[in-house]
Amino acid sequence: MKSYWKVSLAALAVGAGIWIGSIYNTTATGAGTTPGTTDDPVVTKSYVDQQIQQALNGGGGGNTNPTNPTQPSQGADEVKNVALKPGKILIADAGTEFIVRSGNAVIYTEVASGVADLTDGKDLLNGETAPKNHLLSFPREGRGIQVKEGQTSNLIVMVRGGYTIK
């Protein structure tokens, strides 16, 4: 058989395979479904916008009523800048995070264990200096920071979470 016949036959076989495959694929994926049916629902723009807004707000399709007491408050992740005067102690609630921005701070704890310095990956114990611009995590209540003894200026701390000043 001549080579151009072999090439022509091979091209015909490949073309037929592609054509049969495309027909099979169209029927297998259900491309013939009608829009608006349960297989291919039509949704409105307002429904899509509502679902996007719920996803952005962390909702799982639940109640979007802001007065619902079961939902967390919107300000739970809010960062506050707190000025701490010398002689005062900033006590963190469990799970609160601090970043010392200016001034010299030391760790205050009522127990032997300390505070997690997430930036360096180590624990800071009572009386140790809290480094500036390090993320500090307070795993339990009764722990905090205070202005280093001898400093006369305020301590500026970024706080995410609950706290009290003593």
Side-chain angles (χ1 to χ4, degrees):
M1 193 176 226
K2 298 193 179 208
S3 68
Y4 65 88
W5 280 105
K6 289 180 184 178
V7 172
S8 298
L9 219 88
L12 181 65
V14 169
I18 291 173
W19 179 66
I20 291 171
S22 68
I23 290 174
Y24 175 74
N25 187 31
T26 301
T27 58
T29 59
T33 60
T34 306
T37 62
T38 56
D39 293 333
D40 186 18
V42 175
V43 295
T44 62
K45 181 183 179 307
S46 62
Y47 175 78
V48 172
D49 290 342
Q50 177 188 10
Q51 295 302 313
I52 290 172
Q53 193 62 33
Q54 283 180 356
L56 291 176
N57 289 337
N63 187 0
T64 57
N65 183 3
T67 60
N68 184 356
T70 61
Q71 289 187 343
S73 65
Q74 292 291 337
D77 287 332
E78 182 179 324
V79 176
K80 299 173 191 148
N81 287 318
V82 177
L84 188 65
K85 295 179 182 180
K88 299 290 185 179
I89 302 172
L90 185 63
I91 303 291
D93 291 347
T96 299
E97 297 173 337
F98 288 175
I99 298 176
V100 178
R101 293 294 294 152
S102 69
N104 295 317
V106 292
I107 301 298
Y108 169 82
T109 62
E110 297 172 348
V111 293
S113 56
V115 173
D117 180 353
L118 300 178
T119 305
D120 275 345
K122 64 180 184 177
D123 277 344
L124 301 175
L125 302 176
N126 189 33
E128 284 190 46
T129 301
K132 291 180 188 162
N133 300 317
H134 281 220
L135 181 61
L136 307 176
S137 177
F138 295 80
R140 295 186 181 158
E141 294 178 358
R143 301 171 189 191
I145 60 172
Q146 61 187 2
V147 179
K148 189 172 186 174
E149 203 171 309
Q151 181 175 320
T152 57
S153 62
N154 288 349
L155 184 67
I156 305 297
V157 182
M158 291 173 52
V159 179
R160 179 182 302 150
Y163 65 92
T164 55
I165 297 178
K166 284 194 203 176

